Amino acid sequence: MGEVNSTGSLRRLSLSYNSADSHTSALRLVLALFPDWEYTDGEVEFVRFKDGITNTLFKAIKRRPGFSEEQIDEEAVLLRAYGSGTEVLIDRERESASHFLLAHYKLAPPPLARFQNGLMYRFIRGRVCQSHDLSQQPVWRGVARRLAEWHALLPLVSTENTSLSDNEDDGLQFSNPSRKDVPSLQDINAITPFKHTPNIWTVIQKWIFALPTRTPAEVERKTVLQKELKKTVIVLGDNPGLGKDGLVVGHCDLLSGNVIIQPSETRDAPDIETVSFIDYEYTTPCPAAFDLANHFAEWGGFECDYSVLPTRSTRRDFLHEYLASYHHHLTTSDDQAISPLTSSEDTQPAVDVGTSHAEVSQLLAEVDRFRGIPGLYWGVWALIQATISQIDFPYAEYAETRLQEYWDWRAAEAAAGTKKQSQMGERELRWAQE
């Protein structure tokens, strides 16, 4: 797979969503996109999904007389309003390019329009996963297949903003706020000069640069985390792996709420759910092992319930399913020159294609090596959210929990093969269970 540039053109609306005037502002956006909804029969209705910890999400429908629920859903639109200040965390141009790429490969609903603080796109029929669903075999087999399809088919995309300077007004207080002290793209990419950028390491680097330094404790924490990132990149940043130069296009936020279980009639096999992924804000090139380890971490939900994380045997079974799908999609794409517009349902693996016990074991070991990195990734993210977010969520506490996962991983790696191994934390003990 080669590199491609984003060429999609998305309609932009010079309107915004206002939470203080929710219904009126949402209606104005939808009618700007579909003017006929105002003049044809049937009410425009909004279904507000439970707020995530970053964004606000609505489903807008036109309840046309005589239409079935399925027909209504076919023209429904999702309206996602970005959380306050999140531009420092999320590259919206990259998100847009990722959405276009995924839609091109039939792995995402078509994007319809961007507005000043959000995005509108087509609705996906199905049920949103809950945390407990992820550990159900029909679901995780579907997730393994779909994630492998992403990793096998999607080419790396080059889209980057120039620096953090575009986000100077996001509410973060930098220790040296003059423009010359804002990290440049070159500063950010220096963490992995040997890799395609952006990538998961440059994203973490950008976030660490954005950490507040208002107190001596914050300065010290930022210094420590910068050292840890550099140390981690030395160990894991240039490992061989699946994809181009060890990188695949990863979802990088595959929590339960971003997994949609589609209607049963879409199943390719009776005992495997067909799933789709939504929300592509964090989609970026990464080692496949990171995307997999990050998904496994999400089995515990926002509560970080380590008792439900997949054991070693379950991870092995998941990766066997994943690799069978990965090889199937590579084979189909390479040997049959599959069109990127071929329906994903037509390309599900019917047999175990080219997956050996040794390959599964190798990927299992790679995922094990990356198991602590999601803690660093989301820990730094939560430290920033604690500063900028207006959503009622205990970001500071969550940051400490996730960063502790990283420190526990570091301790376990250092103690491997010694008597101290028996002193591992709860998450590490669960991870080690067969």
Side-chain angles (χ1 to χ4, degrees):
M1 293 183 297
E3 296 184 7
V4 299
N5 291 313
S6 170
T7 58
S9 177
L10 188 61
R11 182 178 177 185
R12 294 175 182 257
L13 304 176
S14 57
L15 299 169
S16 62
Y17 168 76
N18 181 357
S19 59
D21 192 14
S22 179
H23 184 273
T24 300
S25 61
L27 181 61
R28 188 180 297 117
L29 284 162
V30 170
L31 294 181
L33 190 61
F34 303 119
D36 65 296
W37 281 25
E38 184 173 5
Y39 305 108
T40 53
D41 291 342
E43 295 294 322
V44 177
E45 298 178 4
F46 292 95
V47 179
R48 182 167 183 153
F49 296 109
K50 184 178 179 181
D51 287 351
I53 62 172
T54 305
N55 303 305
T56 300
L57 184 65
F58 290 93
K59 173 187 176 183
I61 62 173
K62 177 68 170 177
R63 194 165 291 284
R64 300 185 188 276
F67 273 40
S68 67
E69 290 299 319
E70 182 174 348
Q71 288 174 314
I72 290 172
D73 279 347
E74 284 178 356
E75 63 174 358
V77 61
L78 291 177
L79 184 156
R80 181 157 56 88
Y82 303 142
S84 175
T86 53
E87 289 77 11
V88 74
L89 291 164
I90 300 162
D91 183 338
R92 297 300 180 189
E93 294 302 321
R94 188 180 76 224
E95 176 191 11
S96 180
S98 297
H99 199 146
F100 264 107
L101 180 69
L102 288 158
H104 182 65
Y105 281 84
K106 294 290 187 179
L107 292 171
L112 300 175
R114 288 177 66 176
F115 50 98
Q116 289 179 351
N117 60 339
L119 178 71
M120 288 189 283
Y121 50 96
R122 281 296 180 192
F123 175 68
I124 298 177
R125 292 184 64 229
R127 175 174 68 86
V128 179
C129 266
Q130 305 298 313
S131 294
H132 61 81
D133 291 320
L134 296 180
S135 61
Q136 303 303 306
Q137 187 177 91
V139 176
W140 64 247
R141 291 184 71 185
V143 170
R145 287 184 170 204
R146 184 65 79 212
L147 188 58
E149 187 175 4
W150 273 51
H151 291 174
L153 293 182
L154 297 175
L156 303 184
V157 175
S158 296
T159 57
E160 296 179 299
N161 284 339
T162 56
S163 71
L164 293 179
S165 61
D166 294 334
N167 305 308
E168 286 180 277
D169 298 326
D170 286 333
L172 286 176
Q173 300 297 317
F174 296 101
S175 55
N176 296 299
S178 63
R179 195 174 190 86
K180 64 182 177 61
D181 293 312
V182 175
S184 66
L185 184 62
Q186 184 177 2
D187 296 328
I188 294 168
N189 290 347
I191 193 69
T192 54
F194 44 82
K195 286 287 186 183
H196 168 98
T197 57
N199 59 59
I200 198 67
W201 308 114
T202 64
V203 170
I204 300 174
Q205 178 64 89
K206 178 180 177 180
W207 293 353
I208 289 176
F209 280 148
L211 285 172
T213 53
R214 299 163 298 190
T215 68
E218 289 179 340
V219 172
E220 174 63 20
R221 166 165 267 180
K222 181 174 181 177
T223 300
V224 168
L225 291 173
Q226 181 65 55
K227 290 179 180 178
E228 290 300 319
L229 176 61
K230 289 182 176 179
K231 183 165 60 174
T232 299
V233 170
I234 289 172
V235 176
L236 299 176
D238 200 23
N239 280 7
L242 301 177
K244 178 180 173 60
D245 195 23
L247 297 175
V248 299
V249 176
H251 187 284
C252 300
D253 188 22
L254 204 50
L255 47 80
S256 60
N258 287 339
V259 177
I260 304 297
I261 301 175
Q262 296 184 237
S264 58
E265 60 265 24
T266 66
R267 289 182 184 176
D268 186 65
D271 56 345
I272 303 176
E273 298 284 5
T274 298
V275 304
S276 291
F277 304 151
I278 61 171
D279 284 4
Y280 319 113
E281 294 178 305
Y282 299 95
T283 295
T284 201
C286 67
F290 171 85
D291 216 16
L292 289 159
N294 185 63
H295 173 65
F296 291 149
E298 296 296 349
W299 284 31
F302 292 127
E303 298 79 14
C304 300
D305 181 1
Y306 303 138
S307 69
V308 299
L309 296 186
T311 60
R312 184 175 180 82
S313 59
T314 301
R315 297 196 303 275
R316 177 181 289 277
D317 291 343
F318 184 106
L319 296 178
H320 189 281
E321 189 80 43
Y322 166 91
L323 283 169
S325 178
Y326 182 85
H327 288 304
H328 170 83
H329 288 293
L330 278 185
T331 301
T332 304
S333 179
D334 293 343
D335 294 348
Q336 299 178 22
I338 184 173
S339 165
L341 297 182
T342 299
S343 170
S344 57
E345 281 72 22
D346 295 336
T347 59
Q348 289 301 313
V351 294
D352 186 352
V353 183
T355 303
S356 68
H357 177 81
E359 187 180 16
V360 174
S361 296
Q362 179 179 346
L363 184 56
L364 181 68
E366 290 174 7
V367 173
D368 284 352
R369 295 187 72 198
F370 273 85
R371 70 186 183 274
I373 310 308
L376 177 64
Y377 180 74
W378 292 115
V380 174
W381 172 89
L383 288 175
I384 296 173
Q385 286 282 26
T387 304
I388 64 176
S389 180
Q390 298 175 358
I391 293 175
D392 183 17
F393 184 83
Y395 289 108
E397 179 181 339
Y398 186 72
E400 299 302 331
T401 300
R402 298 309 303 265
L403 287 171
Q404 190 59 50
E405 296 172 6
Y406 172 79
W407 296 121
D408 287 349
W409 165 72
R410 277 287 182 201
E413 290 289 291
T418 71
K419 293 181 179 179
K420 290 183 179 180
Q421 194 167 359
S422 62
Q423 303 172 10
M424 292 189 297
E426 179 186 357
R427 184 178 190 272
E428 286 294 314
L429 287 172
R430 173 67 178 183
W431 193 274
Q433 287 181 13
E434 185 60 38

